[in-house]
Amino acid sequence: MLPNQRREKILDLLKEDGSAKVVDLARLFKVTEVTIRQDLEKLESEGLIIKEHGGAFLKNVEDQVRSFSLVHQENLDKKAIIAQKCLEFIETGDTIILDSGSTTTEIAKKLKNSGIRNLTVITNALNIALMLGTESGIEVIMTGGEFKPPTLSLTGQKAADFFKGLNVQKLFLATAGISLKSGLTYPSISDLVVKKAMIDAAEVTYLVADSTKIGKSALASLGALGLIDYIITDAGIEEKHKEVFRDNEIEVIVA
């Protein structure tokens, strides 16, 4: 991995987890701690992070948590369109899992005024829980886990363990990048066990991702595309990408 690529992945990880230790980053990227410190110095010089003893944390993360705003706010117009389409697959009486993320947050916003009731929403996202927690006819259940400030979410083994023994109708799953080679990818390794547990607990998995994420790869791979049943995306998806999903027996739903 080239230095610029590694620094980009480090920044993506910090945008996901909020902070990281030098020793962990060195192990993860298979480089020396000296190299990681140089990477962090470069990122700090660009005003993107703040170095601290033994590690670094994302700049402005405290302000984002206080305002309950997510770091990833790109392509919100596409995400809103995708979210509206998702409502066609949610029915009164359903029990669903809403993964953390900006697209799933848009789904939660749409649910507020949808008229869909007698709905149970299981989520690992604090912002989604607060958004839907006072809605009449919607029961919200949260996982436990370790708090990740930038994504306002709970992660790790404790979050994954929550899903053991559960059987829910539908999962709306987020992703950072859909690699045609590596499958579903995420910036943070701690999320992988949670995503897998969600998939195992759901009868049907809908991947919700705007078209700009297709063909991109984040740091850690969850597994092959075959883990999902449907992808709900926007009209920007290329025909060649549709064919890849179809070849993997995944139905493509265009919003």
Side-chain angles (χ1 to χ4, degrees):
M1 188 181 295
L2 296 173
N4 284 344
Q5 293 175 318
R6 186 176 60 249
R7 286 193 285 271
E8 183 179 339
K9 299 290 187 188
I10 291 171
L11 184 58
D12 285 344
L13 189 149
L14 288 171
K15 285 180 178 179
E16 195 74 16
D17 289 352
S19 64
K21 296 179 180 178
V22 169
V23 62
D24 293 334
L25 291 172
R27 187 183 305 113
L28 185 60
F29 290 97
K30 297 180 173 60
V31 295
T32 66
E33 292 184 22
V34 171
T35 298
I36 292 297
R37 289 192 186 96
Q38 291 171 345
D39 288 337
L40 296 179
E41 287 171 3
K42 174 68 173 173
L43 291 170
E44 185 178 48
S45 71
E46 295 171 356
L48 300 170
I49 68 166
I50 297 175
K51 277 186 63 186
E52 60 180 354
H53 180 70
F57 59 92
L58 189 65
K59 194 173 183 179
N60 299 326
V61 69
E62 288 186 16
D63 293 337
Q64 287 160 353
V65 171
R66 289 194 192 100
S67 63
F68 256 70
S69 60
L70 296 173
V71 171
H72 302 290
Q73 295 287 336
E74 309 87 3
N75 303 307
L76 282 180
D77 54 339
K78 293 183 174 68
K79 293 171 182 179
I81 292 169
I82 292 167
Q84 187 63 48
K85 189 68 175 178
C86 288
L87 295 193
E88 296 179 18
F89 303 93
I90 302 173
E91 303 173 84
T92 292
D94 274 347
T95 297
I96 68 171
I97 301 170
L98 281 185
D99 189 13
S100 61
S102 51
T103 306
T104 48
T105 295
E106 291 299 313
I107 297 173
K109 289 178 183 177
K110 301 292 185 186
L111 279 173
K112 283 174 67 72
N113 302 308
S114 67
I116 300 171
R117 289 298 177 259
N118 191 23
L119 183 70
T120 299
V121 176
I122 303 170
T123 187
N124 64 327
L126 293 177
N127 61 322
I128 289 176
L130 289 175
M131 191 178 298
L132 297 178
T134 57
E135 286 296 300
S136 174
I138 299 180
E139 179 184 3
V140 176
I141 301 172
M142 286 212 71
T143 70
E146 304 158 23
F147 179 53
K148 296 200 307 178
T151 56
L152 303 172
S153 66
L154 301 172
T155 192
Q157 190 61 52
K158 289 188 181 299
D161 288 345
F162 176 88
F163 293 98
K164 287 182 179 178
L166 293 187
N167 182 38
V168 303
Q169 283 101 355
K170 299 156 187 174
L171 160 63
F172 293 88
L173 180 71
T175 189
I178 306 166
S179 167
L180 305 182
K181 179 181 178 181
S182 304
L184 309 180
T185 64
Y186 298 87
S188 174
I189 289 176
S190 67
D191 279 343
L192 299 184
V193 65
V194 182
K195 312 297 184 187
K196 184 62 167 60
M198 288 178 173
I199 292 170
D200 290 343
E203 294 175 11
V204 179
T205 296
Y206 297 89
L207 183 70
V208 292
D210 66 77
S211 57
T212 65
K213 293 183 177 179
I214 303 172
K216 291 186 177 180
S217 179
L219 176 65
S221 173
L222 176 64
L225 294 175
L227 289 169
I228 63 173
D229 301 296
Y230 300 87
I231 176 170
I232 304 179
T233 188
D234 60 83
I237 183 173
E238 297 180 33
E239 191 60 39
K240 65 179 182 181
H241 292 151
K242 288 183 183 179
E243 289 301 320
V244 172
F245 287 113
R246 289 169 185 154
D247 289 345
N248 283 274
E249 300 183 343
I250 299 163
E251 185 173 337
V252 178
I253 299 167
V254 178

